Structures are given as C-alpha cells and as structure tokens.
Amino acid sequence: MSYQASRRSLLTAAALAAVSAAGVASYAAGRGPGGEDGGPRPGDGRPDDGRPGDRPPGRAPDRAALRRLVAGMTLEEKVGQLFVSRAYGHSATDPDPADAEQNQKLFGVRTAAELVSRYHLGGIIYFSWAHNTRDPQQIAELSAALQRAAAGTGSGVPLLLSTDQEHGAVARIGKPATLLPGAMALGARHGAGATGGTGGAGGAGGAGGAGSSTGSTDAGSDSAATAEARRAARIAGAELAAMGIRQDYAPVADVNVNPANPVIGVRSFGSDPQAVAALVAAQVRGYQGAGVAATAKHFPGHGDTETDSHVGLPVMRHSRARWEELDEPPFRAAVEAGVDAVMTAHIVFPALDPSGDPATLSRPIVTGILRERLGFRGVVVTDALDMAGVRQKYGDDRVPVLALKAGCDQLLNPPDLGLAHRSVLAAVEAGELTRARIEESVLRILELKARRGLFDAAHTAAGRTDALVGIPAHLTAADEIAAGTTTLLANPVKLLPLDPAAAPRVLVTGTDPVSPSGTTGPPTAVLARELTALGCRATAAAPARAVAAAPGNAAVLVCTYNVPEGDDPQRTLVKELLATGVPVVLVAIRNPYDPARLPACAAELATYTWTDVEMRAAARVVTGAVRPTGRLPVPVPGRYPLGHGLSYD
C-alpha cells in the first residue's frame, strides 16, 4: 500500500470513528431510534397520541466528522455513494446460480457483495422479483452480509438498504412479516373522523338504505385516526429496521384526484389535500420514530395523471395555483415533519417548468421549489431511473448527470449501473459537475445515515428479527387498524349484516388479482375462509361457475378489481349474478370507483386492498362482527361523494 493510500485509510478510519462516537453519545443521551420523540418504542404495537414529535426525528449528525469523512474519500467512492442499485439473489455472497448469472450479465460481478465493492455503492434496494426477500431472517442475514461488504471497502461507509414497503397494494416483504392496511384504507379510517354526514340515505347516488346512516364520529376521532396511521408506520418501520432495512420509499404524498390514474390510485391517502397532508406527516413521524428513513413521494405530485411513468411520460396539467392548493400541502407537511428524503416523479409539469423535462431532471422543480420554496434540506432521491418516464428525452448516460444538476442526491436503480457511474465521473472530469456539487450530495446522504444510526450499528442485533417481525402484538394491531377501514357504500334493503348465527350459505366469486408479496391469497378464497371462520357456510367459486352455483345461497359476494369503462367480463358477471335473483354484495377490492361502472347491488363495499388483513376486515363487516366506520377518502363520480359511508343501526 502506498503512503498516500495508507494515509487516506487512516483519515477515513478516524472520521468513521468520530461519527460513530458522536452517534453513540447521541444514543446514550436518549435520542436513538425508536424513542427520540417520547412515543412508545417500536415493536410494542401500542398507539401513540399522534402529536408531532417534541424533538426532530432521528439524531443530530456530527457534520464536522462527516466532512472529514467525505474529504478522505476518492472521487470514485464519492460518486458511488450517490447510487442505490438493485442486486440479484437472497445471499450477498452465495446467490442461486440464476441470480449469479443475472448479476454477471448486468454488472460484471457474480454477487451483491462484489457489486458493492466494485462501485462503492451508497445503497441497495430490495425487490421480491430480484429474489432479495424470501423471509425475514434471510433478509436480516443478507443485510448484515452487505454491511460487512461495505465495511471492507476503502471508505468503509455503511450502506443505506431500502425497499418499497408502502403496504397495501405495494409490499415487497410479506408473511411472516406484518402486512398493514395501505394508504387509501388509512385514508378511509381518517375520513370517519374528518368528514361530516353526507346527508340522506344514499349520498349522491341514492344507493344507501333505510336504517343506515352517514356522519362523523366525535371530534377526537380525527386525531385518533391520524395516530393509527402513525402507529401503522411505526410498526412497519420497526420490522424493517429489524431486517436491516433503514430506508422505506413511503409514504406516498400524491393527492389522487383522477379515477383513471393507473399508477397511484389506492397508494394515495385520498383526494383531500389537508387529510393527505395530516396522514403523510403522521407516517413520516411513525417510520422515523422507529429508526427508518421515510421518503415522501412522488414530488411534485403524481395524483392527476393518466399515464404510468413506468411505461410513459405523464404530463400534469395543473396550474401553479392549483398545484399550490392541491399537490403542495402533503409535501410541505412532510418537510415540516422532518422527513429524511423526498422522491421525485418522472412527470412533466409545464406550470412549474415549461422546458418539457421530467421533474426528476428539472432544476426549477427540484432546487427552485423543493429546496428553496419548501426549504427541504434532506436527501432528494430520484424515482427509479430504469422507468420509461425519465428515459424518453435523454439517454441513460445523460439522465444521472442531469438529475444531479437538477439537485437530486441519490440516483435510484439506473438500468446500466456501469454506464451511469462512468457518466457521472466523466461529467466531473469535464467540469460539467463540480466536485463540490458531488460532495454536497454525499454529505446529505452521510447525514441521513448518521441520523438513522448506521454509523453506530449497521448490523441488526442477534435475535432482534424474531423478536420484532410478525409478532402477535403487531398482527393484532394490523387487524385493529384494518377494522375501521372497510367502507359500506350501499345497503338499500338492509341485507347486511348477515347473521352468522343462522349459518347462512354464502358464495364468494369474482376477480382474483395476483396477491401482493407474501399474502396467502387469492382474495376470494381468503374472504370465503374468513366468513366461514365467523360462522357462515362460505365457498369460493371461479367466475365461470359462479352463476350456476348462486341459487340456494343467502348472498353472493363478488370481488371486483379496477373495472374499466365499457364492456368488461366483470360487468357481465355482475349482471348475470343479479339475474339469478340471489342478493349480490359488490366488494371493490382495489380502487373504490368500481360501483360507478356497475349495476347497483344489494350491498356495496370498498376495501381498498386485497391483502389478507383487509379481507378479514371485510368479512367482519359483512357478518356484523364490527360495525362499518370507513368513509370514502375519494369521491366516486356520479355515485358517492367524498366522505360517504354507511353504518348499521
């Protein structure tokens, strides 16, 4: 080893030790993860009071020590810290042959550990399709091995391991980890306290029922529901941290006002910007109270698009005034709550930047609005750079450079990591990007890592995974939270609740979408199983057999999933079931807009997600084991207004 390299290593080691010592001192002073805001420690499953934290989330990093650490890094190491990449395999050092082959093909290495070392990566993102998430213990072992690989690199900086664990429709890690209600389901619970009565028996569409009612609960319900959103994030964060994952790409801060939105929908808390803002802030505090960096997404707002940015480039047509009224409040609330990171959207927003560049590559949006107008000082992470929305205008070599010039810090999942890394290095060597600009982003990333305790203990403590992930207290809490989310939209003949004491025969049919990670699914089978457990005689039937099997049942529950306009097999099935004369209960298991596209049924429910926890909640509502209290967090055009929801006498 040369004198220069030896000296650099000593400087880096000294800086790492200083950062770690500062973190340990902060932890000893009571500012460590999971207790810094005075709330319950993660893992106990108890609700907190939903109030803003008395202190900023996380711990205060030692900026001087971090600057010394950055100064001791090579340019290649600094650039590497900007990248968060996927890697294939359940093991950092011994992946399955097919995963090793995929790593070799894409990255020129066999293992994730080699990938970290070659590119000096700042982070790895876990995906189920990359075979990273078999089970909690395996994930914890993968995380620990990756951290060991990072510790062995020249800089020795720990990795920021991340995933998309929004819960609901997007969950990379499933059973035996706890699966919680998703954003719009939590929005329905929030709406029960935030919204007054909609008047009349049926709301806008007249599809309610005598003996049912709408209306708000007591004045304290709003804060209680917000506390439940925070509780859900705190549990989710505690489990992620116990698996070594310290950044979650959640919560979604988009305000979904477009029923045709193909990519956000139920991933949003709803269409009311103030309600969304309250829930986003609550979840930021929940995640970060558990020691996990929250990431508000997708800035400046993806809630009114009709194009999926995974496959195309959406255009937002809101005026600047409309953006300030509708899209800005949740992101402002996230910043005020101390959110660690904000993710950009691959959308064109002409009112904010007329250049035609997607927001991820827009300096007026990232620096001008997010940094300067909202005052955000944390980490700006791009949405995945392999998505079509960011690749249409520029090549894969230019996108990472332009994202950094716009003001982004973390470059997430480029399609060609080697090309992206070389392009940023070349831009620095050519003077297009200054070293100071790179160091600015690296410092923000290191501050986040220090705030989340990674310089103290990057590895998960032995036994912590089994002690926190999927424990009975968390599973019970998930069911308690879900109990208030199911929304009864219509009950005109008072068919519901069914009386389980009479052991009614019930048929469950309809669409069975692919289950989110780790659920037992399919949803019709789960719903039938839960109804049977509550006393019904329930069976599940495929749509092709449902009409013939309907006679003789007290009711047919038909699950629908994103019913489109026009002719559709789901519409045909509902019409044919209605023609049998057997009462039909419509269960919209994803977007709640389905009833507007179908004939009126004897009862209509919205569950917002088709995971097991929401199917259990729906079964309890159908049988009267719990009273429905959910309220629509979005309007259903032509049918039900925002805040609509029925209950039982």
Side-chain angles (χ1 to χ4, degrees):
M1 179 184 292
S2 69
Y3 171 78
Q4 188 85 5
S6 176
R7 183 174 181 275
R8 186 178 70 81
S9 297
L10 288 172
L11 288 171
T12 300
L16 278 168
V19 174
S20 182
V24 170
S26 178
Y27 189 91
R31 297 190 296 275
E36 73 278 1
D37 63 357
R41 297 193 65 79
D44 61 9
R46 295 182 288 112
D48 52 34
D49 59 11
R51 296 175 300 173
D54 296 327
R55 306 172 190 145
R59 65 192 63 180
D62 184 336
R63 291 179 63 89
L66 292 174
R67 288 186 186 281
R68 291 194 295 274
L69 178 55
V70 174
M73 298 166 68
T74 66
L75 178 60
E76 289 77 9
E77 289 167 347
K78 293 172 187 175
V79 170
Q81 281 296 309
L82 308 179
F83 284 96
V84 179
S85 178
R86 68 200 181 282
Y88 292 83
H90 70 288
S91 166
T93 56
D94 188 25
D96 291 339
D99 291 322
E101 182 179 345
Q102 189 74 345
N103 286 329
Q104 187 69 49
K105 175 183 176 182
L106 294 175
F107 308 119
V109 298
R110 291 187 67 261
T111 71
E114 292 169 356
L115 183 67
V116 169
S117 179
R118 169 171 289 194
Y119 291 104
H120 314 286
L121 290 178
I124 293 283
I125 178 173
Y126 290 167
F127 291 109
S128 52
W129 51 259
H131 309 140
N132 305 137
T133 57
R134 287 183 177 178
D135 61 72
Q137 193 61 50
Q138 167 267 318
I139 295 169
E141 292 169 359
L142 172 63
S143 300
L146 286 171
Q147 295 292 8
R148 287 193 294 272
T153 61
S155 69
V157 174
L159 292 164
L160 189 58
L161 302 173
S162 60
T163 196
D164 287 293
Q165 190 77 349
E166 298 172 15
H167 289 271
V170 177
R172 309 300 185 195
I173 303 167
K175 291 181 67 176
T178 305
L179 286 169
L180 292 137
M184 194 169 285
L186 294 173
R189 186 180 182 105
H190 184 272
T195 306
T198 58
S212 297
S213 64
T214 61
S216 65
T217 55
D218 62 271
S221 299
D222 187 16
S223 61
T226 305
E228 288 293 78
R230 183 179 182 182
R231 179 191 188 193
R234 202 174 185 98
I235 291 169
E239 295 201 1
L240 289 173
M243 293 180 276
I245 299 170
R246 303 305 286 270
Q247 183 173 19
D248 192 10
Y249 297 122
V252 171
D254 304 313
V255 181
N256 198 82
V257 294
N258 188 342
N261 194 321
V263 67
I264 304 301
V266 295
R267 299 168 63 199
S268 163
F269 291 106
S271 64
D272 180 338
Q274 299 309 317
V276 174
L279 291 166
V280 165
Q283 290 228 299
V284 165
R285 294 184 175 109
Y287 281 117
Q288 296 184 179
V292 168
T295 308
K297 62 186 186 184
H298 308 79
F299 189 81
H302 208 319
D304 192 11
T305 60
E306 295 185 2
T307 301
D308 183 346
S309 52
H310 291 85
V311 297
L313 181 58
V315 178
M316 280 284 280
R317 301 297 183 187
H318 291 181
S319 66
R320 175 67 180 246
R322 178 67 168 158
W323 176 82
E324 292 177 1
E325 173 190 22
L326 186 75
D327 304 292
E328 180 184 25
F331 290 101
R332 181 174 291 280
V335 172
E336 291 173 354
V339 70
D340 277 342
V342 172
M343 178 182 285
T344 61
H346 303 327
I347 60 172
V348 172
F349 210 131
L352 304 183
D353 180 359
S355 71
D357 286 343
T360 297
L361 310 182
S362 167
R363 187 169 180 81
I365 291 175
V366 176
T367 297
I369 297 178
L370 181 56
R371 294 283 190 211
E372 296 172 2
R373 176 181 170 87
L374 298 186
F376 181 57
R377 296 294 177 261
V379 169
V380 177
V381 55
T382 70
D383 206 343
L385 297 183
D386 62 345
M387 294 166 58
V390 78
R391 302 173 71 189
Q392 288 194 354
K393 190 173 179 181
Y394 302 100
D396 291 336
D397 59 333
R398 294 298 298 157
V399 166
V401 175
L402 295 174
L404 292 169
K405 292 179 72 172
C408 297
D409 302 304
Q410 280 184 319
L411 304 170
L412 179 61
N413 203 32
D416 186 333
L417 176 61
L419 174 64
H421 192 270
R422 291 192 301 273
S423 297
V424 174
L425 285 172
V428 176
E429 297 294 350
E432 184 179 8
L433 289 169
T434 65
R435 288 177 182 258
R437 171 68 193 89
I438 299 298
E439 290 170 358
E440 176 186 327
S441 285
V442 173
L443 184 61
R444 287 196 193 103
I445 293 166
L446 297 188
E447 286 175 343
L448 189 160
K449 292 181 179 184
R451 212 162 34 239
R452 293 299 137 221
L454 285 168
F455 289 100
D456 308 344
H459 298 191
T460 299
R464 188 167 176 80
T465 305
D466 290 340
L468 281 178
V469 179
I471 59 175
H474 289 179
L475 298 174
T476 298
D479 279 328
E480 291 171 354
I481 295 167
T485 63
T486 303
T487 305
L488 179 62
L489 300 172
N491 195 27
V493 297
K494 297 169 65 173
L495 173 67
L496 301 182
L498 301 177
D499 180 8
R505 287 183 58 192
V506 179
L507 181 69
V508 183
T509 188
T511 303
D512 274 325
V514 174
S515 293
S517 298
T519 62
T520 56
T524 57
V526 174
L527 185 54
R529 182 189 70 209
E530 297 299 331
L531 289 168
T532 297
L534 290 165
C536 298
R537 292 177 292 159
T539 57
R545 298 189 296 106
V547 174
N553 285 280
V556 177
L557 275 64
V558 57
C559 296
T560 64
Y561 181 94
N562 295 0
V563 177
E565 299 284 359
D567 292 334
D568 181 77
Q570 296 183 85
R571 182 176 293 103
T572 300
L573 175 62
V574 171
K575 287 181 177 179
E576 291 177 350
L577 288 170
L578 288 169
T580 67
V582 178
V584 174
V585 178
L586 173 66
V587 185
I589 62 173
R590 184 164 177 160
N591 288 335
Y593 308 111
D594 290 358
R597 298 163 181 171
L598 294 168
C601 296
E604 297 174 357
L605 298 167
T607 68
Y608 310 102
T609 317
W610 62 107
T611 53
D612 296 4
V613 69
E614 291 295 354
M615 293 297 96
R616 283 196 298 273
R620 294 199 298 275
V621 165
V622 167
T623 58
V626 299
R627 297 173 66 252
T629 58
R631 301 288 184 265
L632 277 173
V634 294
V636 177
R639 200 69 174 271
Y640 304 116
L642 175 70
H644 173 76
L646 310 178
S647 192
Y648 301 142
D649 285 338

